Amino acid sequence: MKFALHQLAKALVLGTVCTASPSNHVRSFGWSSTFLETNGVAIGWLPSNGNASEGVTSPRYTMAEINVRLGAKGATYGMYSHLDSQQYNGYELMEEFDDVVNSGAIFVPSVMPVLAQGFAGITKDVAYQVADVMRKFTKRGVRVWLRFGHEMNWYVDPAAEPRYYGTPAEFVVAWQNVAEAVADNPLVEMFWSPNNIGNGSADVLDPWYPGDETVDLVGIDCYPNAEYQDFEYMYKNFYDRYSAGKNKPFAIGETGANATYKEWWLSQLVGQSRHEYPNYVSMSWFEYLKGDDFRLVMAGKKVLEETKRTLGLDRY
Ligand SMILES: *[C@@H]1O[C@H](CO)[C@@H](O)[C@H](O)[C@H]1NC(C)=O
Ligand SMILES: *[C@@H]1O[C@H](CO)[C@@H](O)[C@H](O)[C@H]1NC(C)=O
Ligand SMILES: *[C@@H]1O[C@H](CO)[C@@H](O)[C@H](O)[C@H]1NC(C)=O
């Protein structure tokens, strides 16, 4: 019974997927008309954290700075958080607490289980610590899409740095512990977000799928670097299987492209037919200089002007 009520609360918060018009579609997820939206896709950012020891060479950006420069309010606010021991306090998230609250965006924290104990270390106790950090935000009215263990299918690779440890079955248990810990908080949604699989069959991700009952939104991370890797190539197989197939909203938790492809890729992200992808609700852009210059807003003036044109902001 508790679980049924929880699901109902979540459904009310998420709204129903509505295709009547792009704006109604976005409004149904709780954003007011003051947030950035192009062609029915709410647009937001993962602002650079400025952390040089992660190879980031852009400074820290606040959402407030990005919004001022672009002249529009980012709809999602993505941020990384390392869950690196069984004592979790979300310090990376808390450092930016005021900027997150003031942005009014949906907060999309990527809580990364990089602890030595692996997925098996995400006990119920640790899961409640994660829930406590989320509650600090939701108490201030922030809506949270908790991207727990994002790109799990990539971060378990021995080449990944940092990396996750454990099996798909252990990941699923860790996920379910976290989902249970946030279940009484109607402002938290569980956002399942593996790493891209090229244009291959999406069923390879099935072992990592935690189950319909605990997944509120689905998405997949992609960084294309050639024009044949278009929206359809990158997302369609995933969308069909996990979004259309399970009637879950599709959100892009993280994406970007290098300086050659970034404006082309942005036009792909906002250029899709709502009839083909009716569940597609939002995307968060990796606004970083990290090896490549992914930035759409905080780089040079010329890039900014092109970004504004692609997002339809030059019309105002
Ligand atoms: C910067 O990144 C390193 C490596 O991931 C991490 O240990 C450190 O805590 C980060 N610093 C801040 C201020 O977030
Ligand atoms: C994947 O892309 C390759 C190269 O563009 C193409 O030949 C192949 O048919 C695609 N496969 C699927 C399943 O779409
Ligand atoms: C972007 O990536 C492609 C493919 O690797 C490469 O050919 C191109 O030179 C890169 N562009 C920049 C500006 O680095």
Side-chain angles (χ1 to χ4, degrees):
M1 189 61 197
K2 175 171 177 281
F3 199 66
L5 282 173
H6 156 59
Q7 286 298 311
L8 178 63
K10 299 250 164 173
L12 290 172
V13 170
L14 268 181
T16 49
V17 175
C18 165
T19 54
S21 81
S23 293
N24 284 345
H25 169 73
V26 167
R27 290 304 95 74
S28 75
F29 285 80
W31 285 290
S32 73
S33 60
T34 63
F35 287 91
L36 176 56
E37 167 203 338
T38 304
N39 187 28
V41 182
I43 312 285
W45 313 97
L46 294 113
S48 165
N49 65 8
N51 189 336
S53 59
E54 292 177 349
V56 177
T57 45
S58 39
R60 160 71 189 152
Y61 300 134
T62 63
M63 185 66 86
E65 287 171 317
I66 293 175
N67 290 347
V68 165
R69 186 163 159 92
L70 185 62
K73 279 173 74 175
T76 59
Y77 193 138
M79 201 185 281
Y80 303 95
S81 174
H82 295 84
L83 197 171
D84 51 15
S85 81
Q86 287 183 310
Q87 301 299 315
Y88 178 72
N89 60 15
Y91 64 94
E92 290 143 309
L93 310 180
M94 298 313 298
E95 273 173 19
E96 312 302 341
F97 185 79
D98 290 340
D99 190 46
V100 171
V101 172
N102 293 337
S103 75
I106 290 185
F107 187 37
V108 189
S110 303
V111 175
M112 304 174 66
V114 294
L115 67 177
Q117 296 90 336
F119 300 131
I122 309 298
T123 58
K124 285 182 194 291
D125 175 63
V126 174
Y128 276 98
Q129 295 176 38
V130 173
D132 285 345
V133 172
M134 299 307 132
R135 197 178 307 280
K136 293 195 169 107
F137 289 88
T138 60
K139 270 191 178 152
R140 296 290 299 276
V142 175
R143 283 168 297 143
V144 174
W145 292 355
L146 176 51
R147 214 164 72 109
F148 174 76
H150 79 290
E151 297 183 16
M152 72 304 287
N153 54 321
W154 151 246
Y155 277 111
V156 292
D157 191 299
E161 168 56 39
R163 62 168 293 201
Y164 304 164
Y165 297 90
T167 64
E170 287 166 340
F171 169 77
V172 167
V173 171
W175 172 283
Q176 288 171 347
N177 285 344
V178 174
E180 186 183 311
V182 300
D184 66 347
N185 189 337
L187 288 179
V188 181
E189 311 294 340
M190 291 295 289
F191 182 8
W192 183 66
S193 193
N195 193 42
N196 90 83
I197 47 170
N199 67 342
S201 167
D203 58 12
V204 299
L205 295 170
D206 283 355
W208 296 104
Y209 185 67
D212 295 345
E213 297 76 19
T214 57
V215 172
D216 297 306
L217 303 121
V218 299
I220 188 160
D221 290 359
C222 304
Y223 287 80
N225 61 9
E227 286 202 12
Y228 73 89
Q229 294 171 358
D230 61 7
F231 191 95
E232 180 177 325
Y233 179 100
M234 284 303 202
Y235 297 123
K236 190 173 191 316
N237 291 346
F238 180 88
Y239 179 94
D240 286 350
R241 185 168 187 85
Y242 295 106
S243 177
K246 294 173 179 298
N247 199 25
K248 305 270 184 202
F250 174 74
I252 297 170
E254 174 185 332
T255 192
N258 75 14
T260 306
Y261 293 113
K262 60 190 176 185
E263 294 294 341
W264 163 78
W265 182 234
L266 181 63
S267 68
Q268 286 283 309
L269 292 167
V270 299
Q272 302 304 312
S273 152
R274 293 238 54 89
H275 297 290
E276 267 186 68
Y277 296 100
N279 298 346
Y280 175 27
V281 62
S282 72
M283 73 93 179
S284 303
W285 185 272
F286 187 72
E287 186 70 5
Y288 274 71
L289 183 55
K290 185 180 178 183
D292 291 309
D293 191 352
F294 299 100
R295 297 169 303 173
L296 289 173
V297 178
M298 304 304 280
K301 259 255 144 61
K302 201 165 150 263
V303 173
L304 175 65
E305 293 311 317
E306 204 175 337
T307 297
K308 284 184 172 176
R309 269 197 302 280
T310 307
L311 294 178
L313 291 169
D314 58 336
R315 285 183 262 117
Y316 305 105

